[in-house]
Amino acid sequence: MKPVETISWDDTDQAVHLIDQTRLPGGYRNVRCASVDRLIRAIQRLEVRGAPALGVAGAMGVALAARRIHDKDFLQFSEKLAIEAERLRRARPTAVNLSWGVDRVMARAATGLSVKEVRDLTLSEALSVADDDARTCHILGGVGAAILPEKCTILTHCNAGALACREWGTALGVVRSAVESGKEVRVIACETRPLLQGARLTAWELQRDGIGITVIPDSSAAYLMRQGMVDLVLVGADRVTSDVVFNKIGTYMHAICARHHKIPFYVAAPLSTFDPVRTEDDVEVEQRGREEVASFAGVETVPPGVPVLNYGFDATPLSLVEGIITEKGVLRAPLDWDFISREQKK
Ligand code: MRU
């Protein structure tokens, strides 16, 4: 498998570097984010995206902020750092990993007693967020690979791969680990309207690794299930609350179709994506711009003046989920939230 450096910290120029995912598959370009403003823009434009990668971006964003705030007075420095952290947290609302990554580094920053110490602490914590994510994805991949049949076709939605994480991936991490262990796995990627993360990103990274991949329009998923062409549905998650799994818009309809066709519907997500204190109603679902729906490849596809609705995510009730593949095993409803909260604190 060819490693992908989705997001990294560059010590030489003290900046966050990331693959511009808006250019793939046509172009491979690295973006350098040397300011918090630029990083927030990258998050909002989806140059960097996917829940775990957003966690790393949030974490590195705090380290970046600590380097760009020039106040020598510790109190003023700390106040400004808190403001920058809040701006990062709010860059996108649905994936909990973003605020989780920011909060994890801010908790470490709170133990520092000088500007220099906080700068050092924020960077070392941000780097361990990135390392932990990579390690977690590999463990989770192994857990998921163990429950896959020797030969299967998996339908996935959006991109829950190396590009959505530091490396390896969650749902696609399971696929990679299964292929590595000798299983014969093929993937059907729903294109994922309107921004085509499935067609552009999932297909790009699996083709690069030589894993069998076919892209379909989102609208053909039910028919393929009816034709017996799908053994399992496997997606990532942006937030798991006590009642639902938030993931890319379209996920819910796959879950309903899978249940109708008696096909297991699995979610792969690290514990950092679990939000024990919230329910569906507490979570803001991102609504994105009209232009993403009202045009295609630069051509207008909706008459001017006709409104569009562009929710970025939907919520799938846990009752439709066969299991959530995590680094701590496959969790099944009803979820043991005491266990999850305890493990999250470790
Ligand atoms: O809008 P995006 O591209 O950030 O949405 C990403 C998804 O919905 C992914 O499925 C999810 O973050 C899981 S990534 C491991």
Side-chain angles (χ1 to χ4, degrees):
M1 315 268 169
K2 296 182 192 160
V4 174
E5 274 273 84
T6 303
I7 177 163
S8 55
W9 175 263
D10 191 314
D11 239 353
T12 334
D13 64 359
Q14 301 276 294
V16 180
H17 287 225
L18 40 95
I19 298 173
D20 179 355
Q21 300 190 29
T22 64
R23 304 278 181 128
L24 291 170
Y28 187 98
R29 188 185 80 136
N30 267 294
V31 174
R32 172 175 174 268
C33 297
S35 67
V36 173
D37 281 350
R38 181 64 187 91
L39 182 59
I40 288 176
R41 212 173 113 228
I43 292 170
Q44 291 175 337
R45 289 194 67 236
L46 273 53
E47 288 166 341
V48 61
R49 38 126 329 260
L54 290 175
V56 177
M60 288 185 177
V62 176
L64 182 63
R67 271 145 192 81
R68 296 298 177 267
I69 298 168
H70 296 297
D71 295 70
K72 293 201 170 57
D73 178 81
F74 185 52
L75 206 63
Q76 278 171 12
F77 169 88
S78 303
E79 277 171 12
K80 285 193 183 162
L81 188 64
I83 291 169
E84 293 299 77
E86 189 53 22
R87 287 205 312 130
L88 282 159
R89 246 184 234 115
R90 288 174 184 276
R92 285 188 81 190
T94 310
V96 71
N97 301 62
L98 178 58
S99 53
W100 171 87
V102 170
D103 291 345
R104 188 171 141 179
V105 177
M106 284 303 280
R108 195 89 170 91
T111 65
L113 299 172
S114 68
V115 170
K116 158 105 180 56
E117 205 184 337
V118 170
R119 284 193 180 130
D120 292 347
L121 286 170
T122 51
L123 182 56
S124 69
E125 189 65 12
L127 295 179
S128 50
V129 167
D131 288 349
D132 288 353
D133 184 60
R135 200 177 41 253
T136 300
C137 281
H138 282 273
I139 299 171
L140 181 158
V143 169
I147 61 165
L148 291 189
E150 284 307 313
K151 186 173 174 185
C152 60
T153 300
I154 294 176
L155 182 132
T156 192
H157 191 71
C158 195
N159 172 265
L163 288 166
C165 304
R166 162 73 168 196
E167 59 176 64
W168 206 245
T170 56
L172 300 190
V174 171
V175 170
R176 287 195 165 89
S177 297
V179 169
E180 226 177 37
S181 73
K183 292 190 173 175
E184 224 179 289
V185 180
R186 286 197 59 80
V187 174
I188 294 175
C190 296
E191 61 177 354
T192 318
R193 281 278 296 149
L195 295 182
L196 306 178
Q197 289 94 327
R200 296 187 301 105
L201 309 177
T202 294
W204 180 80
E205 61 170 90
L206 291 187
Q207 184 188 47
R208 203 164 168 266
D209 279 348
I211 296 172
I213 169 79
T214 303
V215 174
I216 59 164
D218 300 330
S219 46
S220 55
Y223 185 62
L224 264 57
M225 290 186 203
R226 189 172 171 80
Q227 293 296 309
M229 293 164 76
V230 176
D231 299 309
L232 189 116
V233 180
L234 176 59
V235 296
D238 288 274
R239 189 188 294 244
V240 181
T241 60
S242 58
D243 47 353
V244 296
V245 173
F246 285 93
N247 192 47
K248 180 53 56 192
I249 191 82
T251 301
Y252 178 39
M253 68 185 181
H254 296 318
I256 293 171
C257 289
R259 174 59 55 92
H260 181 80
H261 293 96
K262 301 188 173 49
I263 294 168
F265 176 93
Y266 279 95
V267 173
L271 289 187
S272 55
T273 303
F274 285 65
D275 185 351
V277 296
R278 288 191 183 75
T279 63
E280 176 177 3
D281 291 346
D282 303 323
V283 177
E284 180 185 345
V285 173
E286 180 180 10
Q287 288 206 45
R288 297 190 55 87
R290 171 191 168 83
E291 67 291 349
E292 291 179 357
V293 176
S295 65
F296 194 83
V299 176
E300 202 169 68
T301 54
V302 178
V306 174
V308 305
L309 261 183
N310 188 13
Y311 284 104
F313 301 92
D314 62 25
T316 299
L318 288 175
S319 56
L320 294 177
V321 179
E322 184 79 24
I324 307 182
I325 301 164
T326 75
E327 69 274 31
K328 295 290 171 187
V330 182
L331 310 183
R332 296 178 199 271
L335 296 177
D336 180 349
W337 285 98
D338 288 340
F339 168 78
I340 293 165
S341 303
R342 256 196 329 274
E343 289 296 328
Q344 280 182 324
K345 286 187 189 111
K346 279 188 185 164

